[in-house]
């Protein structure tokens, strides 16, 4: 009889900086990484994080004040760290930023250098918006690369990916960058062809039909906002399945839109058989983008937004509706992270 020796495989260890409500941690856990610690300073997002990842050592603090040596002594206790994920706030790099380059939060990404020096992870994963590669951030990226180089890392080129190419039912362009200790990191895949493309229909089509103000008694996150009568009337005139506010009769058009071609997505409906547009923290607000339901005359519910960000239905969210919409809109789709895991493992396998 053939005896098979079951070799216990060690899960790679990880630390999640700017962990928010924990989507990156969830994606890493799904890909069999052991997340040891996380850092974020948003108290409500931290509540959500703790209720989903109780075994992770979460430091709720301004990252500038966190001492990586203390973190190392507490969590690594002699073990090596494989991966450090860094999802610094993307607002300063976003194309929606009103005063370009005037947001001090852009500097937060540089905090990763002090953690790299002390925690010494084998691989670092940076996730942000493509705006990070804009020429006005050349100096900042150069400071980041130099700081990491001084700590012994080689930084790969920032790569633009769309989460929709990785089985996420949402167009979400991201900038992903890897850094690897003493080695050039492997190239990132542009897509995962093995996954069928998910759409708005496959993600939310089975959820209960709701109109403005209605709620699904069996799902705490599936409740529709109460829209003003004028907003409901507008929605009734916007064609189902992808219609836009340019179909509104003149008397229902918003004053601010009458002579203005910008923001064409406001009041728009999503399309059933396409991916959703990029969800932001305003993803349940008709006035913040194409966030109307393809069929029902209402904005997306929190459940629909969570599904379009690939959160499983048993993920617990804590906070007000606005807090939860922010947590969902700020999250990195956990499926994207899980799909990048094979590349992370290749990067790790090249290290001793
Ligand atoms: C893009 S979100 C991270 C999303 C998260 N990785 C996820 O997948 O759910 C950026 C996070 O940075 C956090 N943040 C902003 N400034 C910070 C600071 N000074 N110290 C620690 N965390 C900070 C915010 O609270 C927010 O949760």
């Amino acid at each position: 009889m053939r005896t098979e020796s079951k070799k216990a495989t060690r899960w790679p260890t990880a630390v999640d900086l700017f962990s928010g409500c924990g989507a990156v941690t969830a994606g890493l856990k799904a890909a069999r990484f052991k997340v040891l610690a996380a850092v974020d300073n948003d108290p409500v997002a931290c509540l959500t994080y703790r209720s989903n990842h109780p075994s992770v050592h979460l430091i709720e603090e301004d990252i500038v004040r966190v001492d990586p040596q203390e973190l190392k002594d507490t969590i690594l206790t002699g073990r090596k760290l494989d991966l450090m994920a860094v999802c610094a706030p993307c607002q300063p790099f976003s194309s929606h930023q009103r005063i370009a380059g005037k947001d001090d939060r852009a500097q937060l990404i540089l905090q990763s250098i002090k953690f790299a020096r002390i925690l010494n992870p084998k691989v670092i994963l940076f996730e942000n918006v493509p705006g990070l590669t804009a020429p006005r951030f050349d100096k900042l990226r150069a400071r980041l690369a130099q700081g990491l180089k001084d700590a012994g890392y080689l930084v790969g080129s920032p790569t633009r990916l769309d989460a929709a190419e990785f089985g996420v039912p949402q167009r979400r362009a991201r900038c992903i960058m890897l850094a690897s200790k003493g080695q050039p990191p492997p190239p990132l895949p542009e897509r995962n062809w093995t996954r069928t493309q998910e759409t708005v229909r496959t993600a939310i089509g089975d959820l209960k039909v709701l109109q403005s103000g209605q709620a699904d008694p069996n799902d705490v996150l599936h409740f529709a906002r109460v829209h003003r009568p004028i907003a409901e009337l507008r929605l009734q005139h916007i064609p189902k399945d992808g219609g836009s506010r340019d179909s509104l009769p003149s008397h229902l058009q918003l004053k601010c839109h009458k002579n203005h071609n910008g923001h064409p997505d406001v009041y728009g409906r999503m399309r059933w058989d396409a991916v959703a547009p990029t969800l932001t923290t305003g993803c349940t607000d008709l006035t913040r983008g194409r966030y109307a339901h393809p069929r029902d005359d209402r904005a997306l519910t929190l459940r629909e937004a969570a599904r379009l960000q690939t959160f499983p239905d048993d993920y617990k969210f804590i906070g007000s509706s606005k807090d939860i919409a922010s947590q969902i809109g700020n999250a990195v789709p956990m499926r994207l992270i899980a799909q990048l895991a094979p590349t992370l493992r290749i990067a790790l396998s090249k290290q001793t």
Side-chain angles (χ1 to χ4, degrees):
M1 209 171 74
R2 200 160 66 99
T3 51
E4 284 186 32
S5 68
K6 266 199 183 160
K7 208 169 123 191
T9 41
R10 182 182 75 85
W11 286 21
T13 53
V15 163
D16 183 358
L17 302 186
F18 307 101
S19 50
C21 67
V24 167
T25 291
L28 289 173
K29 281 163 76 173
R32 301 167 75 84
F33 278 71
K34 183 163 179 50
V35 182
L36 301 174
V39 180
D40 202 283
N41 70 344
D42 179 325
V44 189
C46 284
L47 287 174
T48 294
Y49 189 99
R50 276 194 202 95
S51 55
N52 291 282
H53 310 293
S55 63
V56 179
H57 180 84
L58 173 65
I59 301 179
E60 183 182 328
E61 177 68 278
D62 180 349
I63 199 160
V64 177
R65 298 161 58 98
V66 177
D67 178 359
Q69 186 62 49
E70 220 174 287
L71 183 60
K72 182 179 177 179
D73 296 343
T74 322
I75 58 139
L76 287 184
T77 53
R79 279 177 293 183
K80 282 196 169 165
L81 180 63
D82 292 303
L83 177 73
M84 181 167 85
V86 184
C87 305
C90 49
Q91 290 84 353
F93 308 112
S94 154
S95 51
H96 300 299
Q97 183 71 358
R98 289 205 186 121
I99 315 165
K102 290 277 181 265
D103 188 333
D104 290 343
R105 287 176 300 175
Q107 306 296 320
L108 286 171
I109 197 169
L110 299 175
Q111 290 294 314
S112 58
I113 300 169
K114 76 174 184 192
F115 286 88
R117 279 200 205 115
I118 305 288
L119 299 183
N120 201 24
K122 292 176 181 169
V123 174
I124 310 175
L125 164 75
F126 291 92
E127 185 273 353
N128 216 290
V129 289
L132 175 63
T133 61
R136 68 177 194 273
F137 298 117
D138 284 353
K139 274 196 191 143
L140 182 74
R141 284 197 322 281
R143 278 178 68 196
L144 178 65
Q146 188 60 51
L148 292 174
K149 191 173 165 212
D150 294 345
Y153 290 85
L154 270 79
V155 184
S157 331
T159 304
R160 188 191 164 102
L161 304 179
D162 186 343
E165 303 285 359
F166 292 83
V168 176
Q170 185 195 156
R171 185 174 67 237
R172 196 171 181 91
R174 292 340 260 174
C175 166
I176 307 283
M177 208 164 69
L178 294 181
S180 197
K181 190 96 201 210
Q183 309 257 354
L188 286 151
E190 281 174 19
R191 55 181 60 83
N192 181 344
W193 290 112
T194 59
R195 278 204 76 98
T196 46
Q197 186 143 49
E198 300 283 341
T199 61
V200 171
R201 190 190 298 279
T202 59
I204 67 168
D206 63 320
L207 292 172
K208 193 174 165 60
V209 175
L210 297 178
Q211 298 306 335
S212 168
Q214 293 182 334
D216 179 347
N218 300 315
D219 183 342
V220 285
L221 289 191
H222 195 44
F223 59 92
R225 277 173 179 244
V226 180
H227 295 297
R228 286 180 305 138
I230 181 79
E232 278 190 58
L233 201 56
R234 285 191 182 111
L235 281 170
Q236 284 160 16
H237 281 81
I238 294 180
K240 307 285 181 191
D241 199 6
S244 295
R245 68 175 166 81
D246 54 14
S247 302
L248 288 177
S250 153
H251 71 282
L252 287 179
Q253 281 172 23
L254 281 91
K255 268 197 200 113
C256 55
H257 289 157
K258 274 195 172 157
N259 300 311
H260 171 64
N261 288 328
H263 309 299
D265 283 341
V266 164
Y267 269 92
R269 287 186 193 273
M270 293 189 179
R271 285 169 65 89
W272 276 127
D273 294 317
V275 291
T278 308
L279 299 196
T280 65
T281 55
C283 57
T284 58
D285 184 342
L286 295 173
T287 67
R288 304 276 296 277
R290 185 171 290 279
Y291 299 140
H293 191 273
R295 173 199 60 217
D296 304 345
D297 293 333
R298 60 171 175 82
L300 285 192
T301 66
L302 291 169
R303 169 62 62 220
E304 289 159 345
R307 289 250 189 118
L308 293 169
Q309 280 278 56
T310 67
F311 283 103
D313 286 357
D314 61 0
Y315 206 84
K316 300 181 223 51
F317 286 95
I318 300 192
S320 65
S321 299
K322 193 163 176 267
D323 293 328
I324 296 174
S326 293
Q327 292 168 33
I328 293 173
N330 271 333
V332 183
M334 57 175 281
R335 191 173 294 156
L336 172 64
I337 293 296
Q339 297 285 306
L340 293 177
T343 308
L344 299 174
R345 285 179 191 277
I346 292 172
L348 289 174
S349 69
K350 293 185 173 172
Q351 308 265 333
T352 46

